[in-house]
């Protein structure tokens, strides 16, 4: 068995770990924005666009972290980060290193990856599907 085969065998696990990490990081951004934790002041309720971004970050980040509705939550998150990049960062310079938009750019593309590849291993949705398939198979 070659190196590529061994790496391919672990793709679902690594994708699941990627999903968990990006979901946790995004959830922490939302918690910081909404709750004023992690050395950040809370955005006032209803403050456009920061408070709304915090809600998306907290809710969608938690869904991605848990692996529930992953593709939909990742799609909304990717779009929110593209919006953040182009409205808040890109006017200050073309490249993320110039304009402080590295985090939104990486989140945008990371979430887009999850839209196309799904949650990977260790997701709650995968656990529920497995349980449902086992229950359906046990009846017959």
């Amino acid at each position: 068995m070659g190196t590529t085969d061994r790496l391919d065998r672990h793709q679902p696990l690594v994708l699941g770990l990627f999903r968990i990490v990006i979901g946790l990081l995004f959830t922490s951004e939302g918690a910081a924005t909404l709750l004023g934790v992690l050395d950040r002041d809370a955005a006032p309720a209803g403050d456009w666009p920061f408070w709304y971004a915090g809600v998306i970050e907290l809710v969608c980040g938690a869904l991605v972290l848990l692996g529930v509705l992953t593709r939909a939550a990742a799609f909304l998150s990717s779009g929110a980060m593209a919006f953040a990049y182009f409205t808040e960062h890109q006017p200050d310079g073309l490249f993320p290193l110039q304009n402080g938009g590295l985090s939104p750019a990486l989140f945008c593309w990371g979430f887009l990856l999850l839209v196309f590849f799904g949650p990977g291993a260790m997701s709650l949705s995968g656990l529920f599907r497995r349980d449902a398939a086992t229950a359906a198979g046990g009846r017959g």
Side-chain angles (χ1 to χ4, degrees), residues 70-127:
T70 303
R71 290 177 192 254
F75 182 76
L76 181 59
S77 299
S78 180
M81 290 296 97
F83 177 83
Y85 182 80
F86 286 111
T87 60
E88 298 297 321
H89 298 280
Q90 198 274 328
D92 295 332
L94 180 61
F95 297 106
L97 288 176
Q98 289 176 304
N99 62 31
L102 188 58
S103 179
L106 289 172
F107 273 128
C108 179
W109 287 101
F111 283 122
L112 192 60
L113 180 88
L114 291 174
V115 170
F116 283 92
F117 285 91
M122 301 177 294
S123 69
L124 284 181
S125 62
L127 179 66

Side-chain angles (χ1 to χ4, degrees), residues 34-59:
L34 293 177
L35 306 173
V37 296
L38 304 172
D39 293 332
R40 190 180 297 169
D41 293 332
D47 184 35
W48 177 258
F50 303 105
W51 185 83
Y52 295 94
V55 170
I56 291 171
E57 291 165 353
L58 185 65
V59 173

Side-chain angles (χ1 to χ4, degrees), residues 5-86:
D5 294 331
R6 277 183 265 157
L7 292 173
D8 287 347
R9 191 175 70 232
H10 296 291
Q11 280 180 351
L13 176 63
V14 173
L15 182 60
L17 291 172
F18 175 80
R19 174 189 46 79
I20 290 167
V21 169
I22 199 169
L24 180 62
L25 293 172
F26 208 56
T27 301
S28 67
E29 285 282 341
T33 300
L34 293 177
L35 306 173
V37 296
L38 304 172
D39 293 332
R40 190 180 297 169
D41 293 332
D47 184 35
W48 177 258
F50 303 105
W51 185 83
Y52 295 94
V55 170
I56 291 171
E57 291 165 353
L58 185 65
V59 173
C60 291
L63 289 173
V64 168
L65 171 65
L66 297 172
V68 177
L69 300 172
T70 303
R71 290 177 192 254
F75 182 76
L76 181 59
S77 299
S78 180
M81 290 296 97
F83 177 83
Y85 182 80
F86 286 111

